[in-house]
């Protein structure tokens, strides 16, 4: 533990600027041979635990859901593609995982849909031990969500902000000292170039798809640090971490214009990680013994990595939190 980390009774708050979390087991998960069975040998069994994975119908989300189910978890795949989601859950279950998977519809671009999903989950009386906020979009042309928010900001960040807050009490009651519940926010190295414009969060003055995407990923890191601080101060058995999967060959790049897509294909085979490799850092944050009680970290390539200087701006963290509560209609504690 480095000098700038705060040691708390239940949690280690690691939102510091030095590399205080060395996660030695993760590099082996990033090898081309990574698989659900390989992860199962490295990570502890998770039988009896329940996870929600957003965007779990394809790409990294599907791989994360598959790995968590292989560890024994009951995984709820939340997404807006019904047929694809049902097929994903069926495939995971047919592969003989120790746990099980199911698909439940949720559209993160609709706050109403998020609320309906949470209510439906609550009505089942299930606990919740892991929430992986994976779903996202990248570099889409200027558009808005059903609630009028800029699309990247609404889907990547604001939908997950509401989802996490509505499920927070379940996460708290499901966790316990030495066996915390966990929230994993899928960020990106693009957050380093991000700027959160509190006066124009919807990017209506000057739109750039890259700028909008970078803002949404920075917002997730700001959210991670602020929420962990609140949880730690209250002694709640919940940890929150942001993860960076690196450059991963997924459908997110489908929004590139044609020439860029043509140029990307040969490069992807050499430089990009597979979805399974990209998902491994999220799975590690969700299940590794080494991460027990360790929150407020930005994880990349197996260790705590310094996120952008702006992400540590406590005033901006609080301002964004309050504004986000206002936008999604949440009362502040």
């Amino acid at each position: 533990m480095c000098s700038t980390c705060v040691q708390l009774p239940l949690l280690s708050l690691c939102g510091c600027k030095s590399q205080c979390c060395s996660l030695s087991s993760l590099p082996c998960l990033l090898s081309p041979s990574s698989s659900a069975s390989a992860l199962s040998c490295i990570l502890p069994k998770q039988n009896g635990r329940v996870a929600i994975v957003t965007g779990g119908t394809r790409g990294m989300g599907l791989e994360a859901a598959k790995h968590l189910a292989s560890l024994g978890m009951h995984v709820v795949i939340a997404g807006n593609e019904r047929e694809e989601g049902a097929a994903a859950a069926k495939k995971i279950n047919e592969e003989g995982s120790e746990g099980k998977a199911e698909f439940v519809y949720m559209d993160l671009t609709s706050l109403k849909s998020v609320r309906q999903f949470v209510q439906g989950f609550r009505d089942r009386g299930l606990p919740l031990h892991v929430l992986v906020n994976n779903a996202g979009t990248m570099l889409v042309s200027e558009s808005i969500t059903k609630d009028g928010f800029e699309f990247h900001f609404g889907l990547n960040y604001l939908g997950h902000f509401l989802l996490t807050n509505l499920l927070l009490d379940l996460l708290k009651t499901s966790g316990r000292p030495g066996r915390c519940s966990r929230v994993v926010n899928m960020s990106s190295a693009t957050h380093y170039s991000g700027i959160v414009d509190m006066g124009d969060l919807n990017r209506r003055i000057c739109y750039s798809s890259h700028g909008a995407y970078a803002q949404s990923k920075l917002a997730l890191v700001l959210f991670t640090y602020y929420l962990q601080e609140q949880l730690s101060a209250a002694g709640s058995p919940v940890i929150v971490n942001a993860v960076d999967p690196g450059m991963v060959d997924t459908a997110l790049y489908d929004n590139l214009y044609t020439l860029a897509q043509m140029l990307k294909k040969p490069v992807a085979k050499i430089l990009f990680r597979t979805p399974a490799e990209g998902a491994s850092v999220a799975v590690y944050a969700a299940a590794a013994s080494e991460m027990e009680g360790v929150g407020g970290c930005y994880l990349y390539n197996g260790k705590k990595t310094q996120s952008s200087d702006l992400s540590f701006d406590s005033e901006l963290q609080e301002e964004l939190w309050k504004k986000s509560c206002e936008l999604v209609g949440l009362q502040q504690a």
Side-chain angles (χ1 to χ4, degrees):
M1 181 67 66
C2 63
S3 59
T4 51
C5 288
V6 179
Q7 182 68 48
L8 293 147
L10 298 181
L11 307 173
S12 299
L13 177 59
C14 295
C16 60
K17 296 188 178 183
S18 59
Q19 297 186 7
C20 56
C21 304
S22 179
L23 311 178
S24 57
S25 302
L26 186 55
C28 62
L29 305 185
L30 297 175
S31 67
S33 61
S34 294
S35 64
S37 58
L39 281 168
S40 297
C41 294
I42 296 167
L43 300 174
K45 295 298 182 183
Q46 302 289 315
N47 300 75
R49 287 169 74 81
V50 179
I52 293 173
V53 180
T54 68
T57 61
R58 63 174 75 171
M60 289 187 292
L62 175 58
E63 294 297 330
K66 185 188 304 183
H67 292 324
L68 293 176
S70 75
L71 295 171
M73 280 193 180
H74 173 183
V75 181
V76 177
I77 296 172
N80 64 350
E81 297 288 345
R82 296 181 190 276
E83 291 186 10
E84 193 174 47
K90 181 180 179 182
K91 181 180 179 181
I92 292 172
N93 291 327
E94 288 178 345
E95 289 178 352
S97 295
E98 288 195 29
K100 64 178 180 178
E102 62 172 303
F103 171 77
V104 179
Y105 180 86
M106 179 179 65
D107 180 359
L108 280 163
T109 68
S110 164
L111 300 182
K112 179 180 179 181
S113 180
V114 173
R115 291 180 183 278
Q116 289 174 336
F117 170 84
V118 171
Q119 188 58 56
F121 185 83
R122 285 180 172 282
D123 289 345
R124 300 173 63 182
L126 292 171
L128 179 61
H129 305 95
V130 172
L131 173 60
V132 181
N133 290 323
N134 162 81
T137 192
M138 182 175 75
L139 304 179
V140 298
S141 56
E142 187 172 8
S143 55
I144 60 175
T145 67
K146 294 176 175 64
D147 300 289
F149 303 116
E150 189 279 318
F151 205 79
H152 297 89
F153 186 72
L155 194 163
N156 296 355
Y157 167 67
L158 212 52
H160 285 125
F161 176 88
L162 177 61
L163 177 67
T164 304
N165 275 283
L166 292 179
L167 292 170
L168 202 54
D169 60 337
L170 269 179
L171 287 161
K172 290 177 180 178
T173 56
S174 301
R176 66 177 190 273
R179 192 66 160 153
C180 293
S181 295
R182 305 185 184 193
V183 178
V184 182
N185 291 324
M186 189 71 76
S187 186
S188 162
T190 312
H191 92 275
Y192 287 103
S193 64
I195 297 174
V196 173
D197 185 349
M198 294 302 302
D200 186 28
L201 290 172
N202 288 307
R203 298 272 165 167
R204 288 175 179 150
I205 296 174
C206 181
Y207 184 80
S208 155
S209 59
H210 180 274
Y213 176 69
Q215 174 181 254
S216 71
K217 292 301 182 178
L218 173 58
L220 282 169
V221 182
L222 290 161
F223 169 49
T224 297
Y225 293 164
Y226 189 82
L227 177 56
Q228 183 63 78
E229 183 180 353
Q230 305 310 305
L231 291 167
S232 297
S236 299
V238 182
I239 57 170
V240 190
N241 287 298
V243 298
D244 176 358
M247 294 178 65
V248 182
D249 190 12
T250 70
L252 282 178
Y253 288 94
D254 290 350
N255 294 318
L256 293 173
Y257 60 90
T258 305
L259 177 59
Q261 285 194 35
M262 292 176 61
L263 294 173
K264 170 249 177 186
K265 289 182 180 179
V267 174
K269 293 181 180 179
I270 302 172
L271 300 178
F272 283 34
R273 291 172 176 167
T274 66
E277 291 166 352
S280 64
V281 66
V283 175
Y284 192 87
S289 298
E290 292 89 339
M291 292 303 298
E292 181 57 52
V294 180
C297 290
Y298 182 82
L299 306 178
Y300 174 69
N301 265 2
K303 57 188 174 184
K304 163 61 165 70
T305 302
Q306 180 178 333
S307 55
S308 71
D309 289 343
L310 193 56
S311 68
F312 294 98
D313 185 331
S314 58
E315 291 184 1
L316 181 59
Q317 291 171 11
E318 183 175 7
E319 186 178 6
L320 178 63
W321 177 278
K322 290 180 177 179
K323 184 64 176 179
S324 299
C325 286
E326 177 187 327
L327 292 174
V328 302
L330 284 178
Q331 289 186 345
Q332 298 178 47

